[in-house]
Amino acid sequence: MYVRHLQVGSFRSWERVDLALRPGPTVFVGRNGEGKTNLVEAVGYLATMSSHRVSSDAPLVRHGAAQAVVRAALRRDDREMLVEVEINPGRANRVRVNRAPLPRPRELLGLVRTVLFAPEDLALIRGDPTERRRFLDELLATRTPRLAGVRSDYERVLKQRNALLKTARMARGKAIETLDVWDGHLTDLGGQLLEARLRLVSDLAPYLAQAYASVAGEGAAVAALGYASTVPAAGDGAPPAADASVPSAAELTAAMRERVAERRGDELDRGVTLVGPHRDDMVIHLGSAPAKGFASHGESWSLALALKLATFALLRADGEDPILVLDDVFATLDAERRAALAAVARSAEQTLITAAVLEDVPAELRGVRVQVGGGSATVLDEGALDEGVFDETVPDDRLGDAG
Ligand SMILES: Nc1ncnc2c1ncn2[C@@H]1O[C@H](COP(=O)(O)OP(=O)(O)OP(=O)(O)O)[C@@H](O)[C@H]1O
Ligand SMILES: [Mg+2]
């Protein structure tokens, strides 16, 4: 798929941008702080409804504005799709697809697919488990939108169960019966989430091994994936055997239920839920050691890149190229890694690249450029581009109420 036209209003540093884009590689070039990353962040937001740089939405809205809007006309399977999101920090977003409002903003997930590689991705290798859980769950929601619902139901049940654990410490008895009910909900949803994550890890692992080999070159150690779970049956972090099968959701629910029962005493003491996918981690291995704590800086960076290239390959194998977004990454790569990334970037249906220095971007990707600076973004490219797909009658930073 590709973005044919992008418009943002009151997003980050941008008051308004209106850009016609085309398939193939496009480089956003301009000095530091001019708003290049802000533009690709807007595209990424359409895919995940979150930013790769901040965990809340408030920083995405331009200082002084109440809300931001991101609109994109996309081409998918030769069909046109118009996606509009009004970002309302602290309140529900409003989303329209082909001008029809979505009852729940979450229903947008899976429609726009991007794979974004940015300096922040080093945290996938070196950061907390939270980073890797988020990576897995975002990819799950993209590939299987239903799981975004399972995930948010799980979060809701978890919150309620935690609240109950805190009061149950004081008043055992009645509260314990209620706890049993919540255990049922938690483990039912938890089993579904665990199964989905385990399948994803197993789907991704071969692509990761392949991508790491192509990025790190001959003779490099082999990259592998494991899942480390608070539910022993769901994995201890070691890469599973090649012929291992993923347990069913029902089996995982039963295993989780058992583990929850074992840990109930500790949970009551501490007032938090200690068992479940919200406490798990994906373990990235390099050779015989886990990457976290062992891999060098260069190896970690290569692993982060390989993980994103593996994601791209997996989504491509699902049937359609996601939009590849490369934020400020070429300058930090050596020649070999740059070439490996350039090969994928060239082959993708659309690649959006940001760079402060054009020469850092491999020559074969520099064809179409967007010059970013002074509060505007201008396409430097001959040839006609598609224009005029948006309704001009609504304010730029709001979605209209009609339709
Ligand atoms: N909510 C906001 N309102 C106004 N300005 C913002 C907001 N959020 C970020 N900015 C501004 O956007 C600028 C950063 O933009 P961005 O990260 O896109 O830069 P960049 O062109 O990618 O730079 P670099 O080359 O350094 O990566 C900063 O000057 C920052 O102050
Ligand atoms: Mg940037």
Side-chain angles (χ1 to χ4, degrees), residues 36-37 53 327-328 354:
K36 305 179 295 292
T37 300
R53 295 197 287 188
D327 181 26
D328 215 5
T354 73

Side-chain angles (χ1 to χ4, degrees), residues 8-350:
V8 307
S10 298
F11 185 89
R12 291 278 199 185
S13 58
W14 294 99
E15 189 179 346
R16 183 192 162 92
V17 169
D18 209 323
L19 262 184
L21 297 169
R22 49 176 61 202
T26 295
V27 184
F28 294 78
V29 67
R31 292 170 43 212
N32 294 140
E34 293 286 358
K36 305 179 295 292
T37 300
N38 294 345
L39 286 175
V40 295
E41 186 179 38
V43 175
Y45 193 91
L46 297 177
T48 60
M49 296 241 272
S50 66
S51 153
H52 69 288
R53 295 197 287 188
V54 284
S55 54
S56 78
D57 283 349
L60 305 180
V61 175
R62 186 172 149 92
H63 298 319
Q67 67 272 308
V69 158
V70 180
R71 287 190 174 88
L74 298 110
R75 191 85 68 170
R76 181 179 187 185
D77 298 328
D78 288 326
R79 271 177 309 156
E80 182 82 5
M81 176 166 70
L82 179 61
V83 173
E84 302 169 278
V85 178
E86 181 184 285
I87 303 170
N88 296 312
R91 287 185 297 129
N93 287 352
R94 294 207 295 156
V95 180
R96 295 197 306 193
V97 174
N98 296 331
R99 305 201 185 274
L102 297 186
R104 276 178 308 201
R106 181 173 84 219
E107 290 167 24
L108 176 65
L109 297 173
L111 289 182
V112 180
R113 299 184 170 202
T114 64
V115 170
L116 192 151
F117 180 51
E120 286 78 6
D121 284 326
L122 198 54
L124 280 174
I125 312 302
R126 304 197 140 178
D128 295 340
T130 323
E131 306 281 348
R132 288 174 292 278
R133 288 196 294 264
R134 177 180 148 159
F135 165 79
L136 288 176
D137 291 345
E138 275 185 3
L139 186 50
L140 283 178
T142 297
R143 294 181 80 205
T144 316
R146 182 185 67 81
L147 291 169
V150 173
R151 167 79 206 276
S152 81
D153 289 348
Y154 181 84
E155 295 291 333
R156 186 174 44 77
V157 169
L158 181 64
K159 234 189 206 160
Q160 274 160 329
R161 188 176 184 274
N162 282 342
L164 188 62
L165 278 172
K166 289 201 175 70
T167 56
R169 251 187 313 181
M170 267 59 101
R172 304 213 165 195
K174 181 78 184 149
I176 299 290
E177 277 168 42
T178 322
L179 199 54
D180 286 338
V181 176
W182 285 112
D183 286 1
H185 296 314
L186 188 82
T187 54
D188 175 34
L189 295 160
Q192 295 179 53
L193 207 51
L194 281 171
E195 185 204 14
R197 284 201 192 157
L198 290 176
R199 278 194 194 288
L200 178 57
V201 165
S202 125
D203 287 350
L204 203 54
Y207 290 111
L208 175 71
Q210 212 170 20
Y212 188 76
S214 78
V215 163
E218 264 177 50
V222 175
L225 288 180
Y227 188 80
S229 184
T230 44
V231 179
D236 61 2
D243 58 352
S245 62
V246 170
S248 70
E251 287 167 324
L252 290 162
T253 291
M256 185 173 161
R257 187 109 208 202
E258 203 174 302
R259 189 68 184 145
V260 164
E262 285 166 14
R263 301 289 316 261
R264 180 174 280 180
D266 297 332
E267 292 191 328
L268 283 167
D269 287 342
R270 294 176 51 184
V272 287
T273 300
L274 298 171
V275 179
H278 65 288
R279 306 277 285 206
D280 292 353
D281 197 0
M282 174 174 76
V283 185
I284 301 159
H285 299 266
L286 193 54
S288 55
K292 188 176 175 179
F294 288 95
S296 74
H297 182 79
E299 284 171 335
S300 300
W301 187 233
S302 297
L303 274 170
L305 171 58
L307 200 53
K308 288 306 173 84
L309 293 181
T311 306
F312 181 86
L314 180 66
L315 291 175
R316 171 180 271 184
D318 284 347
E320 193 185 18
D321 273 16
I323 299 157
L324 184 61
V325 178
L326 304 174
D327 181 26
D328 215 5
V329 292
F330 280 107
T332 37
L333 296 173
D334 67 23
E336 193 170 1
R337 287 164 181 76
R338 213 180 267 215
L341 183 55
V344 178
R346 215 176 32 235
S347 80
E349 189 173 356
Q350 185 176 51

